[in-house]
Amino acid sequence: IPDSIEDGSWYILFVADIGEDVAETDETNNVVSRAITVGALSGEGTPDLQIISVTAGLEVVNAGEVLPVTTVVGNGGDAAAGETELTYVLSRDTYLDEYDKNLSFDKIEPLGVGGTREEQADLRITPNTEGGDWYVLLILDEDELVAEQDETNNLVYLPVRINKDDADADLA
């Protein structure tokens, strides 16, 4: 990055077919962007993304229905944080592993020092989900797009009970 670029939040654009030399059925999908922070790691401080609070709209949800979740994320570091994601995962335990199921994600726009943002998600629990006690894992910056002061404070969990209607159970 050239020295002439001011410190702060910027976007890098990745552009395919910039001259539109290739005839395509869709010319609108040729640009992807990635948020970056310039200067934050050069001794001026480092961001620290955090999940401040999480609330569920329901304590019990039926398989096949939606679980509303509200999350407040913040930057407790001493530098701005670039764009990242908040990932929602359904798990039988409080640990992220290959057996868990991704439910959704939210893009988190860049956050200034001390900045917070509220995110709301409607998480659909698939009809084939087994009933019982589950956890929704919320992972902030799972792909480590933002270099942070503390990478260990980016996962919290929310216990949830899932009911599974079993039509055959009424026949027993």
Side-chain angles (χ1 to χ4, degrees):
I1 295 179
D3 291 337
S4 61
I5 299 297
E6 292 182 27
D7 291 350
S9 295
W10 291 86
Y11 289 89
I12 294 178
L13 301 179
F14 301 90
V15 182
D17 193 24
I18 195 166
E20 296 184 4
D21 298 321
V22 177
E24 301 176 66
T25 57
D26 185 358
E27 293 284 353
T28 65
N29 62 357
N30 291 344
V31 179
V32 174
S33 66
R34 178 65 70 198
I36 63 167
T37 302
V38 174
L41 301 178
S42 60
E44 295 182 20
T46 308
D48 187 19
L49 295 170
Q50 303 167 354
I51 299 174
I52 297 169
S53 67
V54 179
T55 55
L58 302 168
E59 290 181 19
V60 178
V61 64
N62 293 324
E65 294 184 355
V66 170
L67 174 67
V69 174
T70 301
T71 309
V72 176
V73 298
N75 177 7
D78 52 9
E83 180 180 278
T84 190
E85 292 180 353
L86 175 62
T87 306
Y88 304 89
V89 176
L90 187 63
S91 179
R92 277 294 193 176
D93 53 42
T94 60
Y95 305 99
L96 181 64
D97 58 38
E98 67 272 12
Y99 302 107
D100 299 336
K101 179 182 178 185
N102 283 345
L103 295 174
S104 186
F105 72 94
D106 284 327
K107 284 205 175 283
I108 307 296
E109 297 297 322
L111 286 169
V113 174
T116 61
R117 180 162 290 116
E118 182 177 278
E119 297 294 327
Q120 296 187 2
D122 288 329
L123 307 177
R124 179 155 305 281
I125 307 301
T126 59
N128 61 342
T129 302
E130 292 180 24
D133 294 323
W134 289 82
Y135 297 90
V136 175
L137 307 181
L138 294 92
I139 306 120
L140 185 57
D141 196 37
E142 180 180 12
D143 294 330
E144 297 183 359
L145 299 173
V146 177
E148 302 178 62
Q149 292 176 3
D150 184 356
E151 296 283 356
T152 66
N153 62 355
N154 293 354
L155 186 145
V156 299
Y157 59 86
L158 184 67
V160 64
R161 178 122 183 110
I162 298 177
N163 282 338
K164 175 75 171 180
D165 286 337
D166 187 352
D168 295 332
D170 295 335
L171 301 175

